[in-house]
Amino acid sequence: MDYRKYFEDALFRLQAERRYRVFADIERDPARYPYAKRHLSNGHVEDVIVWCSNDYLGMALNPEVIAAMCAAANRHGVGAGGTRNIAGNNHPLVGLEAELADLHGKDSALVFTSGWISNLAAIGTIGALLPNCLILSDAFNHNSMIEGIKRSGAKKQIFRHNDLGHLEALLQAAPPDSPKLIVFESLYSMHGDIAPIGKIADLAERYGAMTYLDEVHAVGLYGPRGGGIAERDGVMERIDVIEGTLAKGFGALGGYIAADAAIIDAVRSYAASFIFTTALPPAIAAAAAAAVRLLKDREDLRLLHQRQALLTKHALSAAGLPVMPNPSHIVPVLVGDAERCKLATDMLLDRHGIYIQPINYPTVARGAERLRITPSPLHTDAHIAHLVEALSDVWKSLKLPLGEVSNVVTFRREKDERCTFPDFKKAAE
């Protein structure tokens, strides 16, 4: 049997749909970021400006964070030595969990090797341990949360994105004595919109549900100490489980949950994804802990980040580019076609030295393909001006439509899942 043919056919289907992903060979430079080196196949190296990193605050390049990592590697070595249950539990990891529990005002925290694994393990375990649990999930929830729900074996119902009325109707229809878990994100990273966390907590309290909040795109970036949108809104204590990442705002690697001690201990004791996975290395844990500690006192960095994001949105919108409006630091620019989205990013890279990856299906719905721009405090006003000029040139060259993005259209992505994307209102010529 020609097994290779199955894989080649699968790749051909992606290429035919213009969804095949190509990775650029990028080398970040801590001393010059957002500049980086692009390594070409012919051996040449050229400078590019990175505009799509999830290292939102540049903490991966912070000298204090780097120093903490190097010191821990020299002291403890490179690897963790095994799973946490065997030989991988290490002092920097224990210290990191204490920092995270303090950040979110919870009893305990538990660190995983990634944010994807933390959602898979935590949701899967919590849902499985609650008898006859019903999980209510936002339609825009991340793949890791969807996989965690599947892993749990619990019943699920999907509520329309950020739709409180639909969520309440589902809660009302659920058996009052059955455990219920509301699973949602604080900041949806492809759209940049923000959940009404306090109002969802109101519904949870009214109908006796637990809450599970994914803050991966908000921790470090929002709140007086970087605790996320829930901290900013003053509702952290009303959320049962807060999940976050160490790989975005904190610039390191790993994911975590923070919650009541009994919840943390139960996940630690039952989650196969935790039990059988090698622990996070001490050096990574030390770097992440340094970033968490540092950002608890860096409101100035958060304010500068917000300023540059707002300035980028305003400058792109003023040039007529189709920025998808939202209240967060995410700057999505709608293209609406997979092939032209890839062409736009190729042109930005080759003609203007700007590195932005195309966002296509299944990350976003078909017809909602976009560029996802993530300004950082290290992007200057001059960088923003250069970005506007470059995007304007690409839009003109590819004859992409200019104008406002408006009118939310609802459609079905899967038979049991609803999501929305912005329709396009062309500018008057």
Side-chain angles (χ1 to χ4, degrees):
M1 182 177 290
D2 183 10
Y3 289 103
R4 182 185 179 93
K5 181 178 184 300
Y6 293 103
F7 304 108
E8 291 175 339
D9 287 348
L11 292 172
F12 177 78
R13 289 195 299 272
L14 285 178
Q15 292 164 347
E17 295 176 14
R18 304 297 189 265
R19 294 197 293 119
Y20 181 75
R21 300 179 188 231
V22 178
F23 297 147
D25 186 351
I26 300 295
E27 179 185 352
R28 294 205 302 174
D29 184 348
R32 300 178 61 233
Y33 192 78
Y35 290 96
K37 295 182 176 66
R38 178 194 181 195
H39 293 263
L40 303 175
S41 58
N42 61 9
H44 292 168
V45 178
E46 60 186 24
D47 276 350
V48 298
I49 302 175
V50 178
W51 274 102
C52 59
S53 175
N54 281 346
D55 181 15
Y56 294 125
L57 300 176
M59 294 305 291
L61 314 168
N62 182 280
E64 294 180 45
V65 175
I66 294 172
M69 185 174 186
C70 292
N74 286 327
R75 182 173 180 178
H76 303 286
V78 176
T83 68
R84 298 280 291 273
N85 288 332
I86 297 178
N89 203 52
N90 58 74
H91 187 63
L93 197 46
V94 173
L96 171 60
E97 288 173 341
E99 287 286 352
L100 293 167
D102 171 75
L103 176 66
H104 294 293
K106 301 298 185 185
D107 292 344
S108 301
L110 189 65
V111 168
F112 300 82
T113 50
S114 75
W116 197 93
I117 291 294
S118 60
N119 271 332
L120 177 76
I123 297 172
T125 303
I126 292 168
L129 291 177
L130 293 172
N132 300 312
C133 178
L134 171 64
I135 298 179
L136 300 116
S137 174
D138 188 286
F140 274 12
N141 276 344
H142 189 263
N143 169 265
S144 59
M145 304 172 83
I146 294 168
E147 293 299 323
I149 294 168
K150 291 177 183 176
R151 177 68 63 88
S152 75
K155 293 175 290 185
K156 73 168 181 179
Q157 291 185 322
I158 296 174
F159 61 93
R160 290 186 291 273
H161 178 54
N162 280 346
D163 189 329
L164 295 169
H166 190 208
L167 174 58
E168 182 165 19
L170 295 176
L171 287 166
Q172 285 175 334
D177 56 348
S178 68
K180 293 171 280 291
L181 177 66
I182 304 172
V183 177
F184 64 109
E185 299 182 42
S186 65
L187 195 162
Y188 292 84
S189 65
M190 289 301 129
H191 314 276
D193 54 339
I194 291 174
I197 300 173
K199 293 179 180 178
I200 291 176
D202 290 341
L203 291 176
E205 292 164 7
R206 188 177 309 155
Y207 293 97
M210 281 184 63
T211 47
Y212 183 103
L213 176 64
D214 177 314
E215 287 260 38
V216 296
H217 290 276
V219 289
L221 309 174
Y222 295 86
R225 298 199 311 155
I229 301 293
E231 186 194 26
R232 185 200 70 176
D233 293 352
V235 295
M236 258 196 325
E237 72 285 352
R238 300 178 63 197
I239 301 299
D240 294 298
V241 183
I242 294 176
E243 185 266 349
T245 185
L246 303 166
K248 295 180 173 63
F250 297 125
L253 177 71
Y256 67 89
I257 58 171
D260 175 85
I263 296 174
I264 296 296
D265 204 9
V267 174
R268 180 189 69 84
S269 301
Y270 281 90
S273 304
F274 175 83
I275 293 169
F276 296 105
T277 298
T278 298
L280 208 63
I284 297 292
V292 174
R293 281 194 300 271
L294 184 65
L295 285 177
K296 286 177 180 178
D297 296 317
R298 290 301 305 272
E299 183 68 4
D300 61 315
L301 196 60
R302 283 185 280 277
L303 290 172
L304 179 56
H305 177 234
Q306 290 293 321
R307 178 195 183 274
Q308 297 310 90
L310 186 62
L311 182 61
T312 302
K313 287 180 183 179
H314 284 177
L316 293 174
S317 296
L321 292 157
V323 177
M324 300 166 67
N326 66 71
S328 75
H329 63 281
I330 305 296
V331 186
V333 182
L334 186 64
V335 177
D337 176 82
E339 184 172 8
R340 294 204 291 175
C341 195
K342 179 65 169 62
L343 286 172
T345 58
D346 288 345
M347 189 176 291
L348 282 170
L349 189 59
D350 295 333
R351 184 184 291 186
H352 298 284
I354 287 176
Y355 176 54
I356 301 174
Q357 283 287 78
I359 305 296
N360 293 335
Y361 178 85
T363 307
V364 296
R366 300 179 197 274
E369 293 84 2
R370 70 199 62 178
L371 308 186
R372 178 181 177 273
I373 298 166
T374 53
S376 78
L378 300 175
H379 287 95
T380 66
D381 294 3
H383 291 141
I384 295 171
H386 173 233
L387 175 68
V388 173
E389 291 174 1
L391 281 172
S392 297
D393 173 63
V394 167
W395 247 249
K396 181 179 179 180
S397 298
L398 296 178
K399 296 181 171 56
L400 293 169
L402 298 170
E404 297 178 358
V405 177
S406 61
N407 301 330
V408 174
V409 176
T410 303
F411 73 104
R412 286 192 180 274
R413 184 172 59 197
E414 297 177 3
K415 64 180 181 180
D416 61 348
E417 188 173 353
R418 296 183 75 82
C419 57
T420 58
F421 72 92
D423 197 4
F424 208 23
K425 184 173 68 178
K426 293 183 179 179
E429 295 182 359

